[in-house]
Each structure stands twice: as C-alpha cells, then as structure tokens.
Amino acid sequence: PPIELLRQWMDYGGWYDLESKEFKQLQDINFVAAMGPPSAGRNTITQRYTRHFNIHYVEPFSTNSLQRIFTNILDWYFLNGVRT
C-alpha cells in the first residue's frame, strides 16, 4: 500500500531504485497530516506508521461553548472599534 512507502521513508530516509538498485535518500522533508476516524471508505493506519506522528484529538465544542467564545470575541472587537 502507498502508506507503507511513506513509512519506509520515515524509517530509512528514502527508497531503493528498482532499476539501478541504488538507495535514493531524500532530505529536509516534513510531513503534516490530518485524518478523521476510520469509517465508510477510510482505512485505519498501522501502529508502525502512527509512531512517527504526534497524535492529538480535540473533542468538538458544544453549541453553548462556541456561542460563548465567539460572543466574547465579537464583543471585544466592537468595543475596541475597528482600526483601519
């Protein structure tokens, strides 16, 4: 699977060229990823791959929390005036 190619780069820093049998090393690469929970067409990823990432989960905010956050932001914005 393609994800195993990414894991191989993260483990070894590159891939072997199948024609020349030479190791191709890639440098100065950063990975940023985002994903939803596995379901309906989304596959799980292996532990061998996830160990290379810091995994964060944020619980969705309730409607009351979102209303309070954005009300405070807008109140502050309109009390301080619009600067141009």
Side-chain angles (χ1 to χ4, degrees):
I3 203 160
E4 284 300 311
L5 291 173
L6 294 173
R7 186 205 50 83
Q8 186 178 10
W9 177 84
M10 291 178 167
D11 284 343
Y12 302 108
W15 301 277
Y16 280 97
D17 186 342
L18 295 177
E19 293 178 9
S20 67
K21 308 296 186 224
E22 180 182 337
F23 187 75
K24 302 285 183 170
Q25 188 171 9
L26 302 172
Q27 298 177 348
D28 297 328
I29 296 178
N30 293 317
F31 284 92
V32 176
M35 64 180 286
S39 66
R42 291 188 220 134
N43 298 327
T44 58
I45 57 175
T46 65
Q47 291 291 328
R48 293 172 66 189
Y49 189 58
T50 56
R51 69 187 168 108
H52 295 288
F53 292 96
N54 294 315
I55 299 173
H56 301 278
Y57 174 74
V58 177
E59 185 71 30
F61 292 108
S62 69
T63 303
N64 291 336
S65 294
L66 288 174
Q67 187 173 7
R68 183 173 179 187
I69 291 168
F70 287 105
T71 300
N72 287 329
I73 291 171
L74 289 172
D75 286 347
W76 175 86
Y77 179 77
F78 288 119
L79 287 174
N80 289 317
V82 180
R83 296 181 184 162
T84 57

